[in-house]
Amino acid sequence: MIVHSPAVVLRRFSYSDTSIIARCFTKEMGKISFMVRGAKRKKSPQSAFYEPMSHLDLVFHYNERRDIQTVSKANFATTYKNIYGDLKRIAYGMAVVELTEKTITDHDPHSELFIVLINTLNTIDTRAEQLNLVYWYYQIKLLTLLGFKPDLDNRNLAGLVLPDPTKGPNSTKILSFLLSGNLSDAGFQTQLNELSVSSKDRKVISQYINTCLYYHFDGLNELKSLRVLKALVTA
């Protein structure tokens, strides 16, 4: 079956001396691994496509009996202007894609989450300040769209009491705003600029959201990008 779908590269790793495997989040079919033959050759034009965070337009052969699929055509759907030249943007972007890679399952489409991911990466690329708010927004949307929407009025989970999300001077207001907002709405982005986030708010919100994630998804404590981001958003 031939499939044409936008995709975001979540991870890449070597397969042989000349080839790579790229793990991508496709809008049409969820997370899929692709063999990209010859991508490691010096003159190969394919290597640039398969960097984490790349937003691609893919045409690929899909065989449900195979764990690894084959790409027949790839093009950039979006070319970022700022992410790759800024360490802070790189850190946030990598945390977003690594979190996605670890929480979604293979061949399970989440088209709404895919759109949120694209909007988040675009915002990280274009927005200069308060990227921690954009990152918290993505974490909350991921939890919500995967069936684990945070409930600020109920801290009791089976076997765990969540950290108090109200301990910061503005933490309740910020979390409520992020839970109800839409990043694709220009008005929402304007209101982000008006939020006041203290150092106490950063610690409270980060601890609350990360605890929700760690509770519902195994292995997230091992993510390097999340450790980097924890330092950034609580600094």
Side-chain angles (χ1 to χ4, degrees), residues 6-8 25-27 55 110-118:
V8 172
F25 181 17
T26 70
K27 184 179 180 182
H55 179 201
H110 290 282
S111 59
E112 189 174 353
L113 180 61
F114 181 87
I115 293 169
V116 173
L117 174 58
I118 294 300

Side-chain angles (χ1 to χ4, degrees), residues 82-83 86-93 124-128 131:
N82 301 305
I83 285 181
D86 183 275
L87 289 176
K88 192 170 185 178
R89 284 189 171 98
I90 290 173
Y92 277 103
I124 290 171
D125 184 58
T126 58
R127 188 180 180 86
L131 292 179

Side-chain angles (χ1 to χ4, degrees), residues 14 18 21 62 84 104 114 125 136 142 164 169 195 205:
S14 295
T18 60
I21 291 176
Y62 180 76
Y84 296 110
I104 61 174
F114 181 87
D125 184 58
W136 290 335
L142 182 142
D164 188 350
L195 291 175
I205 293 170

Side-chain angles (χ1 to χ4, degrees), residues 54-224:
S54 292
H55 179 201
L56 304 177
D57 187 34
L58 295 181
V59 178
F60 57 92
H61 298 273
Y62 180 76
N63 185 334
E64 63 181 10
R65 293 176 294 180
R66 295 180 179 176
D67 293 330
I68 302 176
Q69 309 300 323
T70 303
V71 177
S72 59
K73 186 177 181 180
N75 290 294
F76 284 112
T78 300
T79 302
Y80 300 120
K81 297 179 180 180
N82 301 305
I83 285 181
Y84 296 110
D86 183 275
L87 289 176
K88 192 170 185 178
R89 284 189 171 98
I90 290 173
Y92 277 103
M94 289 299 296
V96 164
V97 297
E98 191 175 7
L99 177 61
T100 306
E101 200 272 331
K102 291 294 185 181
T103 54
I104 61 174
T105 56
D106 292 351
H107 313 296
D108 185 14
H110 290 282
S111 59
E112 189 174 353
L113 180 61
F114 181 87
I115 293 169
V116 173
L117 174 58
I118 294 300
N119 288 337
T120 300
L121 289 172
N122 286 339
T123 303
I124 290 171
D125 184 58
T126 58
R127 188 180 180 86
E129 298 179 350
Q130 291 188 305
L131 292 179
N132 55 315
L133 289 169
V134 178
Y135 180 61
W136 290 335
Y137 168 85
Y138 185 75
Q139 289 180 302
I140 287 172
K141 286 298 182 182
L142 182 142
L143 281 163
T144 299
L145 293 172
L146 295 184
F148 307 110
K149 184 177 181 178
D151 181 353
L152 300 181
D153 295 323
N154 181 16
R155 294 167 53 205
N156 295 307
L157 301 177
L160 175 71
V161 177
L162 291 169
D164 188 350
T166 69
K167 282 189 173 181
N170 298 302
S171 55
T172 304
K173 176 182 177 181
I174 294 166
L175 284 166
S176 298
F177 178 73
L178 296 176
L179 276 162
S180 62
N182 189 330
L183 199 58
S184 62
D185 182 351
F188 176 79
Q189 293 220 27
T190 299
Q191 291 178 69
L192 279 181
N193 297 328
E194 300 170 358
L195 291 175
S196 176
V197 185
S198 69
S199 59
K200 178 67 172 179
D201 290 321
R202 292 189 184 97
K203 292 178 181 178
V204 168
I205 293 170
S206 180
Q207 185 181 27
Y208 175 77
I209 296 176
N210 285 335
T211 303
C212 290
L213 286 165
Y214 299 156
Y215 178 82
H216 292 295
F217 302 101
D218 293 332
L220 294 187
N221 279 310
E222 301 171 5
L223 299 188
K224 293 179 180 180

